[in-house]
Amino acid sequence: MHQSKQIILTIIIACQLMVVLDSSIMVTALPEIGRTLHISTTSLTWLQNAYILAFGGFLLLGARAGDILGRRRMFSVGIALFTLASIMVGLAQSAEFLIITRALQGLAAAIATPSTLALLSVTFVEAKERTKAIAIYSAVSGAGGSIGLILGGVLTDLISWRVGMFINVPIGIALLIMVPRYLKETEKNSGRFDIKGALTSVIGITALVFGFVQAAAHGWGNIETLISLIVGVILLVAFVFIEARAKQPITPLRLFSSRQRSGAYLGRFLFLCGNFSLFFFIPQFLQNVLGFSSFEAGLAFLPFTSVQFGMMYLMPWLVTRFGNLKVLIAGLIIAIIGTSWLSQISVDSQFFPQIFVPLIIMGMGAGMVFQPLTSFGLSDVDSRDSGAASGLINVAQQTGCSMGLAILITVFETVNRSELPLKQQFAHAISVSIMGSVVFITAALVVVLLWFLPARSTVKEPASKAA
């Protein structure tokens, strides 16, 4: 790989790592934040969802902005805003300000991120180079979340959770210096912004998530719960109608004309519904049931992180040898096995082997899933839709994270109202919630089998056999 391309890949990965880290770096610090700012377990989910919803909700608009205004320009704007928002989060003195600034971080990530995959696609054209670049990008996207857990735990125990936010500042400044030197501006396309589509999608998804969180706190019969869920469904249906009629939609429905792209988007959504929620529940279990510190809870994810990141070096060979589809199916099955084992935890569980070994298995499975889903999600995309396609990949990931967490926190709160002793009750609720993750990952496997296998003769192996 040419040195200039290596630098471009480094810039793209650094941006992606910042964005993914911030979706998880607070997780191991949540119990401490909850104690100091007096926030309940259910309400703590909003520190995650404020970021994830703004990120996922505005991604498509960010992708469209890159097409119209130039991807390098929007990349720089997003990094600058993300750096500023990180400072504000680190200085937050109240729960309300913390949630607002987390949402601002999510908006900034939505502006910058769509340009990363688009720039990767136009930079790495040759099949072998693209396979390697996507493998590295996917490994960072997948392992970045668990790295954030470790880093957040270490910093919370040794210094403060706020330091995790300030880490982004020097990285952001370095990127802003490097971007003009090494990234070329992409061709700008004339057009208009699909504001109606953006607003209906963002508000619709937020309303649905709010409805599930309200159900966890106040029950399904609560008027706010019902109104939020109804409004969410109506707005998302309206979004589809708007996109079908818009001259320049933020989500060209033609992207779903490909069976394998549609399956990749839905499979990614369902997998993240189950996988990301584990990053919320496991640290809660480790700290509130097993008595781990934030530092220890962060380090506990090393088995998962090490294996998932290590798969980056094995994936190019696996994909070349067996093809994306077989690797994807195997990865999902392995992830289901590991998560099912983990769901058996109880108040009497020990970290080794009941948690340690399943985390290794889950890391192996997750490490095999992201690259094939990314490759299929970008397959046969017209150059005019490259920004929207990369945006959809990230939308599927972020909405999966927020929706899965919202649904499973409802499961957690429902089970956590039992008459068992407090610690035993909490452990049981975590166990049932993790079983919910198994259901989501299994659903992802079903989607892949139904979407890909019936038309296997027409399923192309993007950047694998050609490599």
Side-chain angles (χ1 to χ4, degrees):
M1 190 181 296
H2 194 274
Q3 185 178 6
S4 62
K5 288 187 177 182
Q6 289 180 334
I7 295 174
I8 292 172
L9 183 60
T10 300
I11 293 172
I12 291 171
I13 287 175
C15 172
Q16 184 68 6
L17 185 60
M18 284 175 62
V19 167
V20 175
L21 278 176
D22 263 50
S23 68
S24 63
I25 199 166
M26 273 192 168
V27 171
T28 40
L30 286 178
E32 178 64 24
I33 295 173
R35 284 190 292 270
T36 56
L37 298 180
H38 309 291
I39 306 174
S40 67
T41 301
T42 302
S43 298
L44 280 174
T45 62
W46 282 109
L47 294 183
Q48 291 298 97
N49 281 332
Y51 177 84
I52 296 169
L53 284 171
F55 187 3
F58 287 104
L59 264 170
L60 295 176
L61 191 62
R64 185 66 180 148
D67 291 337
I68 296 174
L69 302 176
R71 289 172 188 146
R72 188 183 74 174
R73 174 183 293 180
M74 298 314 299
F75 187 82
S76 296
V77 169
I79 293 295
L81 183 59
F82 194 90
T83 303
L84 176 62
S86 296
I87 297 173
M88 296 169 68
V89 172
L91 296 174
Q93 298 297 315
S94 68
E96 294 77 13
F97 188 75
L98 191 57
I99 292 172
I100 291 171
T101 50
R102 284 285 283 170
L104 185 61
Q105 274 189 315
L107 173 61
I111 294 172
T113 300
S115 296
T116 59
L117 270 178
L119 289 167
L120 185 148
S121 296
V122 299
T123 302
F124 300 94
V125 179
E126 194 269 324
K128 190 172 183 179
E129 281 190 344
R130 178 176 287 198
T131 298
K132 184 176 180 180
I134 290 179
I136 297 172
Y137 180 92
S138 299
V140 170
S141 297
S146 45
I147 292 172
L149 290 173
I150 297 171
L151 190 59
V154 170
L155 294 174
T156 298
D157 252 22
L158 299 183
I159 312 175
S160 168
W161 63 267
R162 299 178 187 276
V163 178
M165 297 297 106
F166 294 140
I167 282 177
N168 292 324
V169 178
I171 299 175
I173 293 173
L175 286 176
L176 289 173
I177 294 172
M178 294 176 69
V179 166
R181 293 185 59 187
Y182 295 102
L183 292 185
K184 294 180 180 180
E185 184 57 277
T186 58
E187 182 180 350
K188 300 175 186 177
N189 301 310
S190 60
R192 63 182 68 180
F193 291 104
D194 180 14
I195 302 299
K196 290 181 182 179
L199 290 178
T200 51
S201 63
V202 172
I203 299 173
I205 294 171
T206 303
L208 276 183
V209 172
F210 182 78
F212 281 112
V213 174
Q214 283 295 102
H218 304 293
W220 292 102
N222 178 265
I223 188 66
E224 290 184 0
T225 299
L226 295 175
I227 291 175
S228 295
L229 293 175
I230 292 171
V231 169
V233 171
I234 291 173
L235 287 176
L236 290 179
V237 171
F239 168 72
V240 175
F241 278 100
I242 289 170
E243 297 307 281
R245 290 162 174 76
K247 292 183 178 179
Q248 296 178 337
I250 56 172
T251 309
L253 297 185
R254 58 181 172 269
L255 286 172
F256 297 97
S257 62
S258 164
R259 189 182 183 94
Q260 66 187 52
R261 281 201 302 269
S262 298
Y265 300 144
L266 181 56
R268 196 182 196 96
F269 170 83
L270 291 169
F271 181 77
L272 266 299
C273 277
N275 191 63
F276 179 80
S277 301
L278 299 171
F279 294 160
F280 180 85
F281 290 115
I282 295 175
Q284 299 280 333
F285 177 84
L286 293 173
Q287 293 180 69
N288 294 320
V289 177
L290 298 189
F292 280 34
S293 66
S294 298
F295 174 68
E296 291 169 333
L299 288 180
F301 272 85
L302 270 176
F304 182 98
T305 305
S306 301
V307 173
Q308 184 178 9
F309 201 78
M311 290 300 296
M312 171 184 70
Y313 298 99
L314 191 59
M315 280 301 291
W317 178 82
L318 285 175
V319 169
T320 302
R321 177 69 178 82
F322 299 103
N324 279 293
L325 184 56
K326 289 181 180 178
V327 173
L328 174 58
I329 292 172
L332 288 169
I333 292 172
I334 292 171
I336 290 169
I337 293 171
T339 310
S340 298
W341 186 348
L342 189 66
S343 70
Q344 303 306 307
I345 57 175
S346 68
V347 70
D348 299 317
S349 295
Q350 300 294 318
F351 178 70
F352 186 89
Q354 288 100 326
I355 298 174
F356 181 88
V357 177
L359 284 176
I360 290 178
I361 297 172
M362 288 159 55
M364 182 184 301
M368 297 170 67
V369 165
F370 287 105
Q371 181 187 337
L373 286 176
T374 301
S375 296
F376 282 127
L378 291 174
S379 63
D380 296 327
V381 173
D382 191 279
S383 58
R384 61 177 173 160
D385 293 329
S386 61
S390 62
L392 266 177
I393 289 173
N394 282 294
V395 166
Q397 180 149 330
Q398 300 307 320
T399 54
C401 291
S402 59
M403 195 65 69
L405 182 56
I407 292 171
L408 293 181
I409 197 67
T410 305
V411 173
F412 170 83
E413 287 295 341
T414 301
V415 178
N416 201 31
R417 293 167 184 159
S418 65
E419 300 300 322
L420 296 171
L422 189 59
K423 187 175 288 190
Q424 188 176 346
Q425 172 182 302
F426 190 89
H428 178 61
I430 293 287
S431 173
V432 174
S433 299
I434 295 175
M435 183 54 68
S437 292
V438 176
V439 172
F440 276 123
I441 299 173
T442 303
L445 175 61
V446 171
V447 165
V448 170
L449 295 177
L450 292 179
W451 259 252
F452 287 77
L453 290 185
R456 189 172 180 182
S457 61
T458 63
V459 172
K460 298 179 180 179
E461 288 291 343
S464 58
K465 299 300 184 188

